[in-house]
């Protein structure tokens, strides 16, 4: 069994979440697509096809993966899966034949190709050639859903948490008289290596709750299902509502509702986070809060890369890119998009809904004068505090994204100047 996870031409619509990672590394439920497929096909040879600027970092992070290697791909029949695909069930290879291709709403989800077909793929036209091959097949319904925009991950998180709990066969592995469980204890999984303080309430009446290995939950915390607390995470006197994923090694407190904290997120203090996706190495200062509902209950528009997109949803919070930092009392408006390495300094009012990568906000004014070298130095320190390293490959990737996002920054700065000129 061989498989390849690929990114297609719509991956950029998941910005800022995909600025530093492939689409199949985005979390929904307990895990990302890559980790699910690894569990489904243990020991299988695997590869990925990613945007060229991600190749070096991905090879560094996953040395066993075949990254953008056409020679490897062309030797054996291979199952190719779209990184934006969210399957609704475990994949059965026996049901994936060479005569069909799985689609969802016109988007290719999977296709199995023979070596002679794989030899037609090129680095320049990988996605377009793959789509042509798929459209020559018998179209079948792939099942599950295709993630188009960042809020799709959040809106599907509750359902995916329930599905993951069921598919992984989780059940109560340990119990403690110090923990109050509401609902069926079989809907709660607590790793034997997790530490749960007294006076913790876990409510599984609306969905399952899983607490992974080496996680710590402090007293006076309430966790509503469906919810997942990742390995090594620490929860400090928090109110965690249903539909929330707290990723590996996060530090969280305050109130969180229907949000995904990817990993290594620091939200230690009070403040509300709702219907949001937060990328690694983000630090949310004390009392940082996100609005996720407009006062007129209308659908929320989100400025992705500066372009306003109608989410067609009533509840949408913020989407925050890697290494962004917010100071005390930062207040994010409904449907905000914040790029990577932004520096947010509040001024007692709602922040702009679009903050491009590498920009800084001070008293409501957008600027792009924070030196990149300072941001890189801060990132290295933050990662070192968690025993991680900002590698040379990652630094090169960040510098590349800095250049790629320059036009978005310039356009936002020009709009800000025009607003100031009419005031």
């Amino acid at each position: 069994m061989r498989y390849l996870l690929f990114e297609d031409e719509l991956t950029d619509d998941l910005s800022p979440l995909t600025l530093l990672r492939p689409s199949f590394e985005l979390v929904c439920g307990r895990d990302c697509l890559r980790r699910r497929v690894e569990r489904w096909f243990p020991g299988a040879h695997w590869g990925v096809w990613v945007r060229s600027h991600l190749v070096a970092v991905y090879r560094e992070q996953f040395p066993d993966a075949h990254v953008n290697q056409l020679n490897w791909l062309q030797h054996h029949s291979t199952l190719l899966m779209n990184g934006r695909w969210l399957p609704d069930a475990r994949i059965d290879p026996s049901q994936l034949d060479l005569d069909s291709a799985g689609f969802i709403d016109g988007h290719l989800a999977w296709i199995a190709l023979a070596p002679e077909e794989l030899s037609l793929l090129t680095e320049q036209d990988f996605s377009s050639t793959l789509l042509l091959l798929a459209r020559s097949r018998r179209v079948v319904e792939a099942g599950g859903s295709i993630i188009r925009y960042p809020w799709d991950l959040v809106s599907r998180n509750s359902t995916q948490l329930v599905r993951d709990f069921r598919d992984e066969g989780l059940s109560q592995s340990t119990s403690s008289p110090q923990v109050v469980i509401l609902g069926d204890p079989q809907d709660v999984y607590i790793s034997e290596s997790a530490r749960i303080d007294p006076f913790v309430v876990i409510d599984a009446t609306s969905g399952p709750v899983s607490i992974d290995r080496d996680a710590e939950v402090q007293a006076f915390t309430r966790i509503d299902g469906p919810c997942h607390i990742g390995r090594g995470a620490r929860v400090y006197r928090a109110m965690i509502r249903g539909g929330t994923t707290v990723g590996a090694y996060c530090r969280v407190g305050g109130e969180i509702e229907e949000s995904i904290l990817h990993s290594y997120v620091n939200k230690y203090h009070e403040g509300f986070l709702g219907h949001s996706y937060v990328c690694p190495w983000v630090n949310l200062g004390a009392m940082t809060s996100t609005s996720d509902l407009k006062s007129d209950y209308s659908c929320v528009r989100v400025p992705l890369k500066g372009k306003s997109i109608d989410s067609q949803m009533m509840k949408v919070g913020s989407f925050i890119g890697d290494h962004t930092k917010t100071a005390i009392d930062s207040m994010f408006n409904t449907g905000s998009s914040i790029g990577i390495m932004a520096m947010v300094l509040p001024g007692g009012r709602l922040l702009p809904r679009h903050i491009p990568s590498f920009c800084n906000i001070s008293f409501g004014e957008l600027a792009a004068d924070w030196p990149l070298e300072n941001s890189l130095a801060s990132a290295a320190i933050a990662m070192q505090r968690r025993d991680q390293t900002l590698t040379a490959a990652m630094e090169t990737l960040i510098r590349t994204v800095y250049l790629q996002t320059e036009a978005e920054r310039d356009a936002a700065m020009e709009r800000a100047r025009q607003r100031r000129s009419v005031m």
Side-chain angles (χ1 to χ4, degrees), residues 408-422:
E408 178 186 348
R409 249 185 333 276
D410 290 345
M413 292 299 301
E414 179 59 30
R415 288 193 295 270
R417 282 192 290 269
Q418 292 176 359
R419 285 194 297 269
R420 288 195 295 269
S421 67
V422 299

Side-chain angles (χ1 to χ4, degrees), residues 207-249:
V209 174
S210 54
I211 301 177
D212 216 334
R213 62 186 185 274
D214 300 323
E216 299 179 10
V217 181
Q218 279 192 355
F220 308 111
T221 291
R222 179 186 173 99
I223 302 174
D224 295 342
C227 180
H228 174 63
I229 309 297
R231 65 188 182 279
R234 296 181 184 175
V235 182
Y236 303 99
R237 295 177 53 183
M239 167 63 79
I240 301 183
R241 301 188 182 278
T244 294
T245 297
V246 177
Y249 306 106

Side-chain angles (χ1 to χ4, degrees), residues 60-80:
E60 181 178 74
Q61 293 174 339
F62 301 97
D64 294 336
H66 298 270
V67 184
N68 287 32
Q69 293 182 12
L70 288 174
N71 289 337
W72 171 82
L73 189 60
Q74 294 166 358
H75 281 96
H76 299 279
S77 296
T78 304
L79 171 63
L80 288 80

Side-chain angles (χ1 to χ4, degrees), residues 325-392:
K325 308 289 188 274
T326 75
I328 188 171
D329 283 335
S330 297
M331 295 185 295
F332 288 107
N333 212 332
T334 315
S336 291
S337 175
I338 302 95
I340 70 170
M341 286 196 163
M343 186 68 70
V344 179
L345 303 175
R349 53 183 173 179
L350 284 173
L351 294 159
R353 295 172 61 243
H354 176 224
I355 303 176
S357 298
F358 307 100
C359 283
N360 52 291
I361 293 285
S362 182
F363 292 97
E365 295 296 329
L366 183 68
D369 54 6
W370 187 260
L372 174 60
E373 303 306 320
N374 290 12
S375 295
L376 290 169
S378 297
I381 293 171
M383 295 179 70
Q384 186 178 32
R385 285 163 55 90
R386 300 287 191 89
D387 299 320
Q388 301 294 308
T389 301
L390 181 68
T391 66

Side-chain angles (χ1 to χ4, degrees), residues 58-325:
Y58 205 85
R59 284 177 178 164
E60 181 178 74
Q61 293 174 339
F62 301 97
D64 294 336
H66 298 270
V67 184
N68 287 32
Q69 293 182 12
L70 288 174
N71 289 337
W72 171 82
L73 189 60
Q74 294 166 358
H75 281 96
H76 299 279
S77 296
T78 304
L79 171 63
L80 288 80
M81 290 171 281
N82 193 330
R84 298 188 297 114
W85 182 32
L86 193 61
D88 60 359
R90 183 182 293 267
I91 300 169
D92 182 355
S94 65
Q95 298 180 356
L96 309 179
D97 60 70
L98 292 173
D99 297 323
S100 58
F103 279 81
I104 300 174
D105 297 330
H107 298 271
L108 175 63
W110 63 263
I111 183 173
L113 294 179
E116 58 271 20
E117 295 172 307
L118 291 166
S119 65
L120 300 174
L121 300 175
T122 65
E123 186 172 351
Q124 293 76 22
D125 301 308
F126 187 93
S127 294
S128 57
T129 303
L130 185 60
L131 191 57
L132 285 174
L133 289 169
R135 286 175 174 164
S136 69
R137 302 289 183 83
R138 178 173 58 88
V139 174
V140 299
E141 181 61 34
S145 57
I146 288 287
I147 301 301
R148 178 66 191 273
Y149 296 111
W151 49 85
D152 293 333
L153 293 161
V154 176
S155 67
R156 289 167 170 78
N157 202 47
S158 288
T159 300
Q160 192 62 43
L161 282 165
V162 175
R163 184 176 295 145
D164 288 345
F165 192 94
R166 177 198 65 204
D167 290 347
E168 294 179 40
L170 298 177
S171 63
Q172 176 68 27
S173 65
T174 184
S175 60
S176 169
Q178 299 170 332
V179 178
V180 175
I181 294 178
L182 306 178
D184 188 346
Q186 294 301 312
D187 288 334
V188 177
Y189 169 82
I190 303 174
S191 170
E192 293 182 354
S193 65
R195 194 192 81 186
I196 313 296
D197 286 352
F199 308 110
V200 170
V201 176
I202 299 176
D203 186 349
T205 57
S206 297
V209 174
S210 54
I211 301 177
D212 216 334
R213 62 186 185 274
D214 300 323
E216 299 179 10
V217 181
Q218 279 192 355
F220 308 111
T221 291
R222 179 186 173 99
I223 302 174
D224 295 342
C227 180
H228 174 63
I229 309 297
R231 65 188 182 279
R234 296 181 184 175
V235 182
Y236 303 99
R237 295 177 53 183
M239 167 63 79
I240 301 183
R241 301 188 182 278
T244 294
T245 297
V246 177
Y249 306 106
C250 290
R251 305 290 186 263
V252 300
E255 183 181 2
I256 305 174
E257 179 182 17
E258 291 198 41
S259 293
I260 300 172
L261 289 76
H262 187 111
S263 60
Y264 290 101
V265 174
N266 186 38
K267 185 204 175 300
Y268 183 92
H269 301 283
E270 294 294 326
F272 174 70
L273 180 71
H275 294 84
S276 300
Y277 192 113
V278 186
C279 288
W281 307 112
V282 169
N283 186 84
L284 301 177
M287 301 308 297
T288 293
S289 292
T290 60
S291 169
D292 61 2
L293 177 67
K294 296 173 68 174
S295 56
D296 62 359
Y297 303 101
S298 60
C299 289
V300 179
R301 301 187 70 88
V302 183
L304 297 182
K305 296 184 293 184
K307 180 181 179 181
S308 180
I309 306 293
D310 186 357
S311 70
Q312 299 182 344
M313 297 175 61
M314 187 183 299
K315 279 200 167 187
V316 180
S318 296
F319 307 99
I320 306 177
D322 302 61
H323 293 286
T324 282
K325 308 289 188 274

